[in-house]
């Protein structure tokens, strides 16, 4: 009889999201207080386990130590790109043909690489653009060529049309053109657009007529900026932009390797879009397209609609407050999960503002 009681208590102290078990209910409450489980986490389509990232979900499904039951079903009905579970092997084949995307045509990429300045920032056709992707290619400065200097920049819209592309004349002398990966020669930068002019064009286009201090995440005119490692790119361009408007595939928790370690854009594109990039000479347009595709895939996810989806929303600040400890300990694991909120902004929320 004691064993049955212990088993019942263990079940009561089991997290309804990640299925971790605790000896005491107060330990489960503390876990829920710090884990920020929510409807926005990647979730196994078979056992419904919540994972912190798609990498964790991938490990849960296909190894090296997967849950065997989930692995067996995933092997016949699971999409290896978006990790969704389909109704049948036939449905999987149809889905995966659509889910695997294709990269930029090599001939088209070669033609774009040889273009000089392409500037549509003041073109009327770009006025309605709400989301843009940015990428830079760096050459080396300093005595050993290790200092990154932006030498080419590209900005595209959500339909992969080029808004702005230009070689950039750095403020400091270039000591290493890194030709093997950039394809940039000294003559390309001789008459290139000065960095200050590029900075102003990009800054003005992103802000879209709104003062920096007035930019807010919803209801304004400023544009959402997508990229990979955008802190580095914006710093090299000396452009400032509010974090609330930035969607960085290197820092988005569901796409990260661990809570502190990013995946490369090359890996993310191959694993989640199904094609290869950055082979040989690289062009920022290709990186822009990859980050935009990743953003659109993340944004298109359908999650439960909540009035206040973030743990930082004022309405949620007392959900797991210490003064509610006795009340929380009387809740079931499912009720605790219902009260829990995400500690990051899910990109699916952007689709509700479009």
């Amino acid at each position: 009889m004691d064993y049955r009681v212990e088993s019942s208590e263990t079940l009561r102290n089991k997290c309804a999201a990640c299925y971790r078990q605790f000896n005491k209910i107060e330990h489960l409450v503390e876990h829920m207080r710090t884990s920020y489980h929510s409807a926005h986490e990647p979730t196994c389509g078979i056992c419904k386990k919540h994972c912190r990232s798609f990498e964790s979900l991938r490990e849960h499904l296909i190894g090296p130590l997967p849950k065997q039951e989930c692995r067996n079903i995933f092997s016949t009905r699971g999409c290896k790109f978006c990790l969704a579970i389909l109704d049948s092997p036939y449905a999987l084949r149809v889905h995966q043909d659509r889910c695997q995307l294709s990269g930029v045509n090599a001939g088209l990429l070669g033609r774009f690489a040889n273009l000089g300045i392409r500037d549509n920032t003041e073109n009327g056709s770009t006025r309605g653009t709400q989301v843009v992707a940015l990428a830079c290619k760096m050459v080396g400065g300093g005595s050993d060529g290790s200092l990154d200097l932006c030498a080419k920049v590209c900005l595209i819209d959500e339909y992969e049309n080029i808004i702005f592309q230009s070689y950039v004349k750095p403020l400091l002398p270039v000591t290493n053109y890194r030709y093997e990966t950039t394809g940039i020669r000294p003559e390309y930068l001789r008459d290139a657009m000065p960095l200050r002019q590029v900075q102003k064009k990009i800054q003005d286009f992103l802000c879209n007529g709104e003062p920096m201090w007035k930019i807010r995440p919803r209801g304004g005119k400023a544009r959402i900026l997508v990229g990979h490692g955008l802190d580095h790119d914006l710093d090299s361009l000396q452009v400032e932009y509010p974090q609330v408007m930035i969607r960085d595939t290197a820092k988005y928790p569901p796409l990260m390797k661990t809570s502190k370690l990013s995946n490369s854009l090359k890996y993310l594109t191959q694993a989640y879009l199904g094609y290869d990039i950055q082979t040989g000479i690289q062009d920022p347009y290709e990186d822009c397209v990859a980050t935009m595709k990743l953003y659109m895939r993340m944004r298109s996810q359908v999650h439960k609609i909540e009035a206040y989806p973030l743990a930082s929303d004022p309405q949620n600040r007392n959900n797991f407050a210490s003064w509610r400890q006795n009340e929380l300990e009387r809740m079931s694991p499912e009720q605790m999960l219902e009260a829990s909120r995400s500690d990051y902004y899910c990109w699916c929320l952007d689709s509700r503002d479009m």
Side-chain angles (χ1 to χ4, degrees):
M1 184 159 182
D2 289 342
Y3 286 111
R4 284 199 297 272
V5 171
E6 186 178 22
S7 176
S8 175
E9 278 299 304
T10 304
L11 191 62
R12 170 169 154 69
N13 302 338
K14 181 179 180 180
C15 175
C18 67
Y19 301 154
R20 187 175 169 188
Q21 293 183 326
F22 299 87
N23 292 328
K24 297 181 178 180
I25 186 66
E26 54 263 40
H27 296 162
L28 172 59
V29 171
E30 183 58 31
H31 166 75
M32 295 302 295
R33 185 176 282 135
T34 58
S35 63
Y36 300 102
H37 288 310
S38 77
H40 298 280
E41 291 178 301
T43 304
C44 175
I46 303 158
C47 71
K48 308 305 177 187
K49 177 183 179 180
H50 289 224
C51 299
R52 184 62 181 175
S53 68
F54 283 103
E55 287 301 290
S56 297
L57 178 56
R58 192 180 291 275
E59 287 183 12
H60 168 78
L61 291 168
I62 57 177
L65 294 171
K67 184 176 179 182
Q68 201 59 46
E69 180 188 353
C70 296
R71 180 183 184 175
N72 293 342
I73 295 174
F74 185 82
S75 66
T76 58
R77 295 194 279 120
C79 175
K80 64 181 179 180
F81 303 115
C82 70
L83 307 183
I85 307 298
L86 284 302
D87 293 333
S88 67
Y90 172 75
L92 171 64
R93 287 195 298 274
V94 173
H95 166 87
Q96 207 157 259
D97 284 344
R98 294 197 309 266
C99 202
Q100 181 173 15
L101 305 180
S102 56
V104 181
N105 179 276
L108 187 65
L109 194 60
R111 190 157 55 84
F112 283 160
N114 294 324
L115 286 176
I117 295 172
R118 186 167 184 176
D119 186 1
N120 293 316
T121 54
E122 297 178 15
N123 190 319
S125 63
T126 62
R127 281 180 193 156
T129 302
Q130 294 178 295
V131 182
V132 296
L134 173 79
C136 300
K137 278 298 169 232
M138 309 289 178
V139 291
S143 58
D144 60 354
S146 63
L147 179 64
D148 283 345
L149 304 172
C150 178
K152 191 174 185 182
V153 63
C154 184
L155 193 70
I156 69 166
D157 65 16
E158 54 197 292
Y159 305 106
E160 303 171 16
N161 300 310
I162 292 178
I163 296 168
F164 179 75
Q165 179 172 270
S166 176
Y167 289 109
V168 182
K169 192 168 190 176
L171 296 175
L172 298 175
V174 178
T175 54
N176 182 358
Y177 286 87
R178 305 174 183 173
Y179 177 79
E180 293 77 12
T181 56
T182 67
I184 295 173
R185 301 180 184 275
E187 56 267 27
Y188 297 170
L189 304 186
R190 200 166 293 135
D191 299 313
M193 188 178 287
L195 178 65
R196 299 287 187 219
Q197 190 177 345
V198 172
Q199 172 206 24
K200 186 174 188 319
K201 278 189 173 292
I202 291 175
Q203 187 98 58
D204 289 350
F205 187 78
L206 292 176
C207 293
N208 196 24
E210 279 197 283
M212 189 76 72
W213 60 269
K214 199 177 177 182
I215 293 175
R216 56 193 187 278
R218 292 182 179 87
K221 295 187 293 181
R223 296 175 165 105
I224 291 171
L225 178 62
V226 176
H228 188 85
L230 277 170
D231 287 347
H232 185 47
D233 285 350
L234 293 176
D235 185 58
S236 71
L237 291 167
Q238 300 182 6
V239 168
E240 293 182 6
Y241 205 53
Q243 283 296 320
V244 293
M245 300 303 291
I246 288 176
R247 307 290 182 263
D248 195 332
T249 55
K251 296 167 75 174
Y252 188 50
L255 291 176
M256 292 181 70
K257 186 178 292 185
T258 68
S259 61
K260 295 183 179 178
L261 189 62
S262 300
N263 278 306
S264 68
L265 180 58
K266 185 182 179 73
Y267 170 80
L268 290 175
T269 305
Q270 197 279 327
Y272 297 102
L273 301 179
Y275 69 91
D276 294 316
I277 62 167
Q278 299 176 351
T279 55
I281 289 178
Q282 301 165 19
D283 190 86
Y285 175 74
E286 183 179 47
D287 291 357
C288 281
V289 170
T291 55
M292 185 61 82
K293 287 180 189 290
L294 284 165
Y295 168 75
M296 298 298 280
R297 178 152 288 181
M298 294 296 107
R299 193 180 80 177
S300 67
Q301 293 181 99
V302 179
H303 295 143
K304 178 183 175 183
I305 297 176
E306 298 161 324
Y308 305 103
L310 297 174
S312 57
D313 289 333
Q315 295 82 357
N316 297 322
R317 284 182 184 160
N318 291 326
N319 284 11
F320 288 91
S322 56
W323 55 264
R324 293 186 63 196
Q325 185 71 19
N326 289 338
E327 179 190 350
L328 290 165
E329 289 181 13
R330 289 194 296 271
M331 287 184 177
S332 68
E334 290 75 21
Q335 287 172 322
M336 283 190 239
L337 179 57
E338 186 70 25
S340 186
R341 292 293 183 269
S342 175
D343 61 341
Y344 65 87
Y345 179 87
C346 181
W347 293 350
C348 79
L349 300 173
D350 285 345
S351 63
R352 298 169 197 175
D353 299 324
M354 297 295 174

PDB file of all heavy atoms in Angstrom, residues 226-239:
ATOM      1  N   VAL A 226      15.224  41.066 -39.591  1.00  0.00           N
ATOM      2  CA  VAL A 226      15.596  39.657 -39.468  1.00  0.00           C
ATOM      3  C   VAL A 226      17.064  39.486 -39.872  1.00  0.00           C
ATOM      4  O   VAL A 226      17.547  40.168 -40.779  1.00  0.00           O
ATOM      5  CB  VAL A 226      14.696  38.789 -40.375  1.00  0.00           C
ATOM      6  CG1 VAL A 226      15.125  37.326 -40.338  1.00  0.00           C
ATOM      7  CG2 VAL A 226      13.231  38.937 -39.995  1.00  0.00           C
ATOM      8  N   GLY A 227      17.755  38.575 -39.218  1.00  0.00           N
ATOM      9  CA  GLY A 227      19.142  38.291 -39.596  1.00  0.00           C
ATOM     10  C   GLY A 227      19.728  37.220 -38.703  1.00  0.00           C
ATOM     11  O   GLY A 227      19.040  36.633 -37.860  1.00  0.00           O
ATOM     12  N   HIS A 228      21.026  36.969 -38.877  1.00  0.00           N
ATOM     13  CA  HIS A 228      21.736  35.971 -38.067  1.00  0.00           C
ATOM     14  C   HIS A 228      22.998  36.636 -37.519  1.00  0.00           C
ATOM     15  O   HIS A 228      23.859  37.058 -38.276  1.00  0.00           O
ATOM     16  CB  HIS A 228      22.117  34.752 -38.911  1.00  0.00           C
ATOM     17  CG  HIS A 228      22.673  33.617 -38.103  1.00  0.00           C
ATOM     18  ND1 HIS A 228      21.863  32.683 -37.482  1.00  0.00           N
ATOM     19  CD2 HIS A 228      23.950  33.274 -37.779  1.00  0.00           C
ATOM     20  CE1 HIS A 228      22.610  31.806 -36.840  1.00  0.00           C
ATOM     21  NE2 HIS A 228      23.888  32.148 -36.997  1.00  0.00           N
ATOM     22  N   GLY A 229      23.080  36.742 -36.196  1.00  0.00           N
ATOM     23  CA  GLY A 229      24.204  37.466 -35.595  1.00  0.00           C
ATOM     24  C   GLY A 229      24.103  38.957 -35.872  1.00  0.00           C
ATOM     25  O   GLY A 229      25.090  39.598 -36.221  1.00  0.00           O
ATOM     26  N   LEU A 230      22.909  39.508 -35.702  1.00  0.00           N
ATOM     27  CA  LEU A 230      22.660  40.904 -36.085  1.00  0.00           C
ATOM     28  C   LEU A 230      23.422  41.901 -35.226  1.00  0.00           C
ATOM     29  O   LEU A 230      23.724  43.004 -35.694  1.00  0.00           O
ATOM     30  CB  LEU A 230      21.162  41.210 -36.033  1.00  0.00           C
ATOM     31  CG  LEU A 230      20.375  40.791 -37.281  1.00  0.00           C
ATOM     32  CD1 LEU A 230      18.879  40.901 -37.039  1.00  0.00           C
ATOM     33  CD2 LEU A 230      20.780  41.629 -38.497  1.00  0.00           C
ATOM     34  N   ASP A 231      23.739  41.555 -33.991  1.00  0.00           N
ATOM     35  CA  ASP A 231      24.525  42.476 -33.163  1.00  0.00           C
ATOM     36  C   ASP A 231      25.829  42.839 -33.868  1.00  0.00           C
ATOM     37  O   ASP A 231      26.245  43.999 -33.896  1.00  0.00           O
ATOM     38  CB  ASP A 231      24.844  41.842 -31.800  1.00  0.00           C
ATOM     39  CG  ASP A 231      23.625  41.774 -30.894  1.00  0.00           C
ATOM     40  OD1 ASP A 231      22.618  42.434 -31.210  1.00  0.00           O
ATOM     41  OD2 ASP A 231      23.684  41.070 -29.863  1.00  0.00           O
ATOM     42  N   HIS A 232      26.463  41.819 -34.439  1.00  0.00           N
ATOM     43  CA  HIS A 232      27.743  42.014 -35.132  1.00  0.00           C
ATOM     44  C   HIS A 232      27.556  42.831 -36.418  1.00  0.00           C
ATOM     45  O   HIS A 232      28.322  43.760 -36.698  1.00  0.00           O
ATOM     46  CB  HIS A 232      28.351  40.648 -35.451  1.00  0.00           C
ATOM     47  CG  HIS A 232      29.719  40.720 -36.062  1.00  0.00           C
ATOM     48  ND1 HIS A 232      30.728  41.507 -35.571  1.00  0.00           N
ATOM     49  CD2 HIS A 232      30.244  40.088 -37.156  1.00  0.00           C
ATOM     50  CE1 HIS A 232      31.810  41.366 -36.310  1.00  0.00           C
ATOM     51  NE2 HIS A 232      31.543  40.513 -37.284  1.00  0.00           N
ATOM     52  N   ASP A 233      26.525  42.492 -37.199  1.00  0.00           N
ATOM     53  CA  ASP A 233      26.278  43.205 -38.458  1.00  0.00           C
ATOM     54  C   ASP A 233      25.932  44.673 -38.202  1.00  0.00           C
ATOM     55  O   ASP A 233      26.465  45.572 -38.866  1.00  0.00           O
ATOM     56  CB  ASP A 233      25.142  42.540 -39.234  1.00  0.00           C
ATOM     57  CG  ASP A 233      25.572  41.238 -39.897  1.00  0.00           C
ATOM     58  OD1 ASP A 233      26.777  40.947 -39.909  1.00  0.00           O
ATOM     59  OD2 ASP A 233      24.695  40.505 -40.387  1.00  0.00           O
ATOM     60  N   LEU A 234      25.047  44.925 -37.258  1.00  0.00           N
ATOM     61  CA  LEU A 234      24.642  46.307 -36.969  1.00  0.00           C
ATOM     62  C   LEU A 234      25.797  47.112 -36.405  1.00  0.00           C
ATOM     63  O   LEU A 234      25.960  48.298 -36.711  1.00  0.00           O
ATOM     64  CB  LEU A 234      23.457  46.316 -36.000  1.00  0.00           C
ATOM     65  CG  LEU A 234      22.144  45.754 -36.549  1.00  0.00           C
ATOM     66  CD1 LEU A 234      21.071  45.725 -35.466  1.00  0.00           C
ATOM     67  CD2 LEU A 234      21.653  46.575 -37.741  1.00  0.00           C
ATOM     68  N   ASP A 235      26.625  46.460 -35.588  1.00  0.00           N
ATOM     69  CA  ASP A 235      27.791  47.145 -35.028  1.00  0.00           C
ATOM     70  C   ASP A 235      28.770  47.531 -36.128  1.00  0.00           C
ATOM     71  O   ASP A 235      29.329  48.635 -36.129  1.00  0.00           O
ATOM     72  CB  ASP A 235      28.468  46.233 -33.997  1.00  0.00           C
ATOM     73  CG  ASP A 235      29.622  46.928 -33.290  1.00  0.00           C
ATOM     74  OD1 ASP A 235      29.383  47.983 -32.668  1.00  0.00           O
ATOM     75  OD2 ASP A 235      30.767  46.426 -33.352  1.00  0.00           O
ATOM     76  N   SER A 236      28.968  46.624 -37.101  1.00  0.00           N
ATOM     77  CA  SER A 236      29.899  46.922 -38.198  1.00  0.00           C
ATOM     78  C   SER A 236      29.380  48.038 -39.099  1.00  0.00           C
ATOM     79  O   SER A 236      30.157  48.757 -39.727  1.00  0.00           O
ATOM     80  CB  SER A 236      30.159  45.659 -39.033  1.00  0.00           C
ATOM     81  OG  SER A 236      29.019  45.313 -39.780  1.00  0.00           O
ATOM     82  N   LEU A 237      28.054  48.195 -39.159  1.00  0.00           N
ATOM     83  CA  LEU A 237      27.438  49.273 -39.946  1.00  0.00           C
ATOM     84  C   LEU A 237      27.209  50.536 -39.113  1.00  0.00           C
ATOM     85  O   LEU A 237      26.778  51.559 -39.646  1.00  0.00           O
ATOM     86  CB  LEU A 237      26.082  48.801 -40.500  1.00  0.00           C
ATOM     87  CG  LEU A 237      26.119  47.727 -41.586  1.00  0.00           C
ATOM     88  CD1 LEU A 237      24.725  47.137 -41.789  1.00  0.00           C
ATOM     89  CD2 LEU A 237      26.652  48.308 -42.897  1.00  0.00           C
ATOM     90  N   GLN A 238      27.488  50.434 -37.803  1.00  0.00           N
ATOM     91  CA  GLN A 238      27.252  51.533 -36.849  1.00  0.00           C
ATOM     92  C   GLN A 238      25.780  51.977 -36.868  1.00  0.00           C
ATOM     93  O   GLN A 238      25.469  53.160 -36.814  1.00  0.00           O
ATOM     94  CB  GLN A 238      28.199  52.703 -37.139  1.00  0.00           C
ATOM     95  CG  GLN A 238      29.665  52.311 -37.014  1.00  0.00           C
ATOM     96  CD  GLN A 238      30.623  53.460 -37.254  1.00  0.00           C
ATOM     97  OE1 GLN A 238      30.231  54.608 -37.417  1.00  0.00           O
ATOM     98  NE2 GLN A 238      31.913  53.150 -37.275  1.00  0.00           N
ATOM     99  N   VAL A 239      24.897  50.980 -36.979  1.00  0.00           N
ATOM    100  CA  VAL A 239      23.450  51.225 -36.985  1.00  0.00           C
ATOM    101  C   VAL A 239      22.883  50.813 -35.629  1.00  0.00           C
ATOM    102  O   VAL A 239      23.197  49.734 -35.118  1.00  0.00           O
ATOM    103  CB  VAL A 239      22.762  50.422 -38.113  1.00  0.00           C
ATOM    104  CG1 VAL A 239      21.251  50.445 -37.941  1.00  0.00           C
ATOM    105  CG2 VAL A 239      23.153  50.971 -39.474  1.00  0.00           C
TER     106      VAL A 239
END
